[in-house]
Amino acid sequence: MTEEQSVGGAYAADGVRARLDDHEERLAAVERRQDITDGKLDSISKDIAAVRAEGNARQQATNAGMDRIGLQLSDLTRQIAAHTGAQEERNRLAEDSLRRWKKLAVIIGIFCTLGAAVGSTLLSDQEVASTIWVKWLHWREPWDAPAQPAPQQQETPYALPPRDMEAV
């Protein structure tokens, strides 16, 4: 090898070395950016996992709440059905009682009507009426009572004469 070749080779080696250094720096910069990007991706992945976990927890809480509401609604429906059934039973019993009272009132009405008919027939006969009033009840017969009591005369000189006797 000649001097020219060795000197030219040194310049060439320096150029190659400079290019290698430049490539190394660029490669290091790319690796740093890749590391930063990987860190950011890891952070984003952790955030996504946290959001998913929160979403799942929220979903479970919502489902549990909906289940509780469903159970409460079922209980309320049963209570309303029981209350409605009890109310219907009370209404039915009240209607039965009312029906019994109506039957009793009709029977009593029939007996009173028959009694009134028999009583008016018997009391229209004066002998029966006299027997009832005088013999059994020991009262005076109502048809013998005077219409107005007779006025009593007062023996005082200041007594006024009755109006029907006054001359007008």
Side-chain angles (χ1 to χ4, degrees):
M1 240 196 262
T2 63
E3 262 187 56
E4 289 176 7
Q5 285 179 345
S6 65
V7 171
Y11 286 128
D14 285 339
V16 169
R17 195 172 290 277
R19 283 172 88 194
L20 278 175
D21 288 340
D22 182 47
H23 285 304
E24 281 180 14
E25 286 176 24
R26 286 178 30 191
L27 190 58
V30 168
E31 285 177 352
R32 278 192 303 269
R33 278 193 301 243
Q34 185 67 34
D35 288 342
I36 292 171
T37 304
D38 285 344
K40 287 181 181 179
L41 286 176
D42 286 343
S43 175
I44 290 172
S45 295
K46 287 178 186 177
D47 289 345
I48 288 173
V51 167
R52 280 186 183 165
E54 287 173 2
N56 289 340
R58 194 175 297 121
Q59 174 102 24
Q60 288 174 350
T62 302
N63 288 342
M66 293 301 278
D67 291 343
R68 270 193 325 271
I69 290 173
L71 289 175
Q72 290 172 349
L73 188 61
S74 297
D75 289 343
L76 183 62
T77 303
R78 269 182 261 147
Q79 288 174 358
I80 289 173
H83 179 70
T84 303
Q87 187 68 33
E88 287 174 356
E89 183 65 19
R90 279 192 294 262
N91 289 345
R92 188 186 64 77
L93 290 174
E95 287 175 9
D96 288 346
S97 175
L98 183 63
R99 236 180 271 121
R100 275 188 245 121
W101 280 107
K102 283 182 179 179
K103 286 179 185 176
L104 185 62
V106 167
I107 291 170
I108 290 173
I110 289 172
F111 280 128
C112 288
T113 303
L114 290 175
V118 168
S120 65
T121 302
L122 288 177
L123 290 178
S124 67
D125 184 21
Q126 277 204 342
E127 288 180 20
V128 174
S130 294
T131 304
I132 291 172
W133 287 105
V134 176
K135 196 171 187 182
W136 291 340
L137 299 176
H138 305 290
W139 290 348
R140 225 173 94 187
E141 293 174 341
W143 51 87
D144 288 342
Q148 287 185 343
Q152 296 180 359
Q153 292 292 331
Q154 296 180 359
E155 297 183 12
T156 63
Y158 303 107
L160 296 175
R163 288 204 179 263
D164 58 351
M165 296 178 145
E166 290 181 8
V168 181

